[in-house]
Amino acid sequence: MAPENNTTLDAVVVGAGFSGLYMLHRLRDILGLDARVLEAGDGVGGTWYWNRYPGARCDSESYYYSYSFSEDLEQEWEWTSKYPDQPEILRYLEHVADRFDLLRDIQLETRVTEAAFDAETNRWKIFTQRGEHFEAKFLITAVGCLSAANIPDIPGLDDFDGDWYHTGAWPHQGVDFSGKRVGLIGTGSTGIQATPVIAAEADHLTVFQRTPNFSVPARNAPLGKEQWATIKSDYRDIRRRTRETSSGFPYKPVERSALQATQAERTEVYEDLWGKGGFSFLWGSFNDVMRDKEANDTVAEFIRDKIREVVKDPVVAERLLPVDHPYGAKRPPIDTDYFETFNRKNVTLVDIRQDPITAITQDGLHTKNAEFELDTLVLATGFDAMTGALLNIDIRGSEGLRLADKWVEGPRTYLGLQVSGFPNLFTITGPGSPSVLTNMPVSIELHVEWISDCIQHMRDNALETIEASQEAEDRWVEHVSDVAKETLLGQADSWYLGANIPGKTRVVMPYPGGHFEYRKRCEKIARNGYSGFDLSR
Ligand code: NA7
């Protein structure tokens, strides 16, 4: 789409990932609105456009991690494997954009820098880096929960003579690691996926680990014709079940406490789930592993035993054991041969809690006690999660209130969908909604459909604005905090809490009350005429 100046629209959507694409389809093709998506990248795909690092792959089964809104789309698309890699997911999203003719209303290479609500006209004024200006009744952010890169402030990074890359802004042409001495910082989901793939290619890989992490094998496998026939005939039931669980995955948890089971019974359950692999290990487990520390300890020790079994050098194994947080209190990674990779001769593990990084130099990286010569440095250091991408836009509400100021002590929303003081702004999978604690497409579809139904309701009733009431927002923030206290999430320094970003207020950002309960609540609120929201004519 060619840029224009002073464009007036019904709705502007920011971001063309999973949520932005579906939002555009709903607004334009179902509601008949004049809507446009503004996207910073030069292609669609969001997370799957940016994260092209080696080993980038979905952690959720493809037939759960996909759109459910179109049965035709479901029937015509076949994933090659249980956990598709990044290029395949990007192809899927490009196919969706193409199939629903979305591209004509998506403006690429357009970064939104500023958005201000004009209370005189009840319109959002939206500005882009390229100097364009839009006006729209509705502003819908589809910016993703993990899209603002966290680049650590390590002295000397600019002096490095080699190449360095953040995994979330990976070069499109790829990176050739052959013959290279590579350093990788970070052992979250990304570092854990990238490590085995880089190690297989590089001359030497040094992994700089701050916090040892729990990880569970993916058990990836190709999907053949027969499996597809079964999945396709089951799709309606699969989708129903994903919506009726806490996680957005259709796994059935073991409906009792891990502590009611004997050691032998627990081992049997954990071995079975370990064999299946993936998120079923967390969500198909005993129902209290995320609520009761003692129950969690049983599963944490099971994983530590697996690490001790796999890693041959006992000193390295010990260094890899996660001990400072409960399993699942940080976002649990899923891997293919991560711990096995530390048995390779060309891989070194450095514990940077014991021996902290002091500087990056022309030749490599210095820790307090050692020097590492490197040709390439990979920063798998994650994101300013949940609020970073929203606050990178200067968003100002009805009385000039800045979202950044309002959220100094942590994000405040009603249902993660709206913010008091910011009329007609909707935040898809915003903080305060279950989002990252669930299977994302399930949460995304719920929000997109809720928002488009809400806009339809406003049109049917000739309503001009909708805004979360201050009281409903306060009650919701308190509720999120109360529910979080019943979980183990507060016991880890995770990005769920903003603890990975120096200076960020520490507060549980996603709503841990479970997808199904949350869905019923959103639906009831809509049925009751949008209780907790102020609607004006
Ligand atoms: P994560 O999960 O935030 O992991 C980032 C990793 O980088 C983690 O091991 C961090 O250690 C480490 N880190 C971050 N900052 C630093 C500094 N300054 N020094 C050393 N090490 C650091 O991000 P990912 O990209 O792996 O995953 C993000 C999500 O994307 C993932 O969960 C999926 O939902 C998809 P820490 O643990 O904070 O001590």
Side-chain angles (χ1 to χ4, degrees):
M1 285 227 53
E4 300 156 40
N5 253 319
N6 287 327
T7 308
T8 305
L9 299 154
D10 295 320
V12 162
V13 179
V14 187
F18 251 103
S19 21
L21 294 178
Y22 183 34
M23 194 75 241
L24 174 61
H25 173 58
R26 291 289 295 207
L27 295 175
R28 190 192 67 184
D29 304 332
I30 312 287
L31 266 58
L33 295 191
D34 192 4
R36 190 174 302 177
V37 173
L38 305 179
E39 162 58 53
D42 70 0
V44 301
T47 286
W48 300 105
Y49 169 91
W50 296 103
N51 284 271
R52 297 170 190 241
Y53 61 85
R57 184 176 286 287
C58 192
D59 279 346
S60 310
E61 290 88 337
S62 47
Y63 34 88
Y64 306 149
Y65 187 90
S66 49
Y67 290 117
S68 72
F69 70 84
S70 159
E71 290 189 31
D72 291 344
L73 172 65
E74 277 176 349
Q75 293 301 319
E76 74 201 14
W77 187 271
E78 289 184 4
W79 301 95
T80 58
S81 64
K82 204 170 152 190
Y83 301 98
D85 61 12
Q86 174 271 332
E88 189 173 357
I89 306 172
L90 186 57
R91 276 201 301 282
Y92 171 75
L93 292 170
E94 286 168 349
H95 168 74
V96 169
D98 199 36
R99 192 190 189 288
F100 295 96
D101 192 19
L102 299 175
L103 283 174
R104 68 188 156 88
D105 290 302
I106 299 176
Q107 191 174 307
L108 300 171
E109 297 181 87
T110 305
R111 184 174 288 282
V112 173
T113 51
E114 198 182 329
F117 186 76
D118 180 345
E120 305 253 300
T121 59
N122 284 333
R123 291 291 177 274
W124 280 94
K125 290 183 186 320
I126 297 139
F127 302 88
T128 75
Q129 204 167 34
R130 312 200 296 201
E132 295 140 88
H133 166 214
F134 297 85
E135 275 191 35
K137 180 164 175 178
F138 298 103
L139 174 62
I140 302 170
T141 60
V143 292
C145 296
L146 295 150
S147 46
N150 169 36
I151 307 214
D153 188 15
I154 306 174
L157 187 56
D158 291 338
D159 302 332
F160 185 50
D161 273 349
D163 296 316
W164 68 267
Y165 308 95
H166 186 278
T167 49
W170 203 257
H172 289 202
Q173 68 279 15
V175 176
D176 183 4
F177 291 107
S178 49
K180 298 274 168 58
R181 296 161 302 176
V182 182
L184 180 146
I185 304 179
T187 52
S189 297
T190 300
I192 282 176
Q193 284 189 337
T195 289
V197 184
I198 298 177
E201 196 183 321
D203 183 50
H204 194 92
L205 173 67
T206 308
V207 176
F208 297 94
Q209 169 191 271
R210 186 162 74 180
T211 309
N213 217 335
F214 295 99
S215 184
V216 171
R219 313 260 181 239
N220 195 16
L223 292 171
K225 282 271 164 256
E226 261 177 43
Q227 281 150 305
W228 272 113
T230 312
I231 294 166
K232 285 184 182 179
S233 63
D234 279 356
Y235 254 139
R236 296 289 40 84
D237 193 45
I238 290 176
R239 303 306 191 183
R240 181 190 54 76
R241 287 186 290 129
T242 57
R243 294 186 194 114
E244 292 181 0
T245 57
S246 183
S247 61
F249 293 101
Y251 317 127
K252 276 204 180 81
V254 180
E255 286 301 350
R256 62 178 172 148
S257 161
L259 302 175
Q260 284 167 350
T262 63
Q263 173 71 29
E265 287 168 337
R266 277 196 297 266
T267 306
E268 195 184 330
V269 168
Y270 297 152
E271 282 293 355
D272 176 52
L273 292 170
W274 188 262
K276 289 184 178 134
F279 279 132
S280 65
F281 190 80
L282 178 65
W283 297 111
S285 190
F286 294 101
N287 61 13
D288 58 349
V289 294
M290 271 311 292
R291 280 184 283 117
D292 185 306
K293 176 68 168 56
E294 214 184 315
N296 191 283
D297 285 343
T298 65
V299 71
E301 191 52 23
F302 177 87
I303 301 177
R304 285 191 285 264
D305 279 343
K306 290 289 180 196
I307 300 172
R308 291 184 188 106
E309 250 172 57
V310 168
V311 181
K312 298 208 173 89
D313 180 336
V315 176
V316 177
E318 194 61 29
R319 216 175 277 160
L320 284 164
L321 297 184
V323 287
D324 75 343
H325 63 279
Y327 170 61
K330 274 178 181 258
R331 199 275 197 182
I334 308 293
D335 74 274
T336 300
D337 295 338
Y338 175 65
F339 294 113
E340 288 81 350
T341 299
F342 293 93
N343 293 331
R344 294 178 65 109
K345 288 202 164 43
N346 71 334
V347 175
T348 309
L349 177 68
V350 178
D351 176 352
I352 57 171
R353 265 196 215 285
Q354 285 288 322
D355 186 14
I357 296 174
T358 50
I360 292 170
T361 63
Q362 272 183 315
D363 303 329
L365 186 152
H366 288 197
T367 59
K368 195 160 155 246
N369 301 320
E371 288 178 18
F372 300 87
E373 286 193 1
L374 302 172
D375 304 304
T376 310
L377 183 61
V378 176
L379 301 179
T381 45
F383 303 90
D384 181 355
M386 314 221 47
T387 57
L390 283 169
L391 297 182
N392 279 346
I393 306 170
D394 180 11
I395 302 178
R396 296 192 302 279
S398 44
E399 279 156 32
L401 175 66
R402 284 199 140 80
L403 190 62
D405 292 333
K406 172 158 179 159
W407 283 5
V408 165
E409 307 222 325
R412 302 187 67 81
T413 70
Y414 179 34
L415 300 170
L417 273 163
Q418 270 222 319
V419 184
S420 169
F422 296 77
N424 292 0
L425 167 69
F426 294 99
T427 50
I428 304 178
T429 64
S433 72
S435 66
V436 291
L437 298 175
T438 68
N439 181 17
M440 281 304 277
V442 179
S443 281
I444 286 170
E445 288 194 328
L446 168 64
H447 270 189
V448 167
E449 288 160 15
W450 192 96
I451 292 166
S452 58
D453 290 351
C454 173
I455 292 176
Q456 181 65 50
H457 170 85
M458 291 175 70
R459 294 171 76 197
D460 293 346
N461 294 282
L463 298 167
E464 188 63 13
T465 61
I466 178 165
E467 180 186 340
S469 77
Q470 189 61 59
E471 194 204 342
E473 181 179 282
D474 291 346
R475 266 189 283 121
W476 184 251
V477 171
E478 199 181 324
H479 174 65
V480 174
S481 161
D482 289 346
V483 174
K485 284 183 198 130
E486 291 163 20
T487 72
L488 302 176
L489 290 174
Q491 297 187 26
D493 291 331
S494 72
W495 57 255
Y496 293 147
L497 280 71
N500 61 329
I501 302 297
K504 191 165 172 176
T505 303
R506 194 185 160 107
V507 49
V508 175
M509 293 185 286
Y511 173 56
H515 175 82
F516 190 37
E517 289 307 313
Y518 174 82
R519 171 182 288 272
K520 285 190 287 188
R521 192 185 284 258
C522 289
E523 287 169 353
K524 187 169 168 207
I525 286 169
R527 266 198 316 277
N528 289 345
Y530 296 90
S531 43
F533 293 92
D534 295 328
L535 297 136
S536 81
R537 259 174 228 288

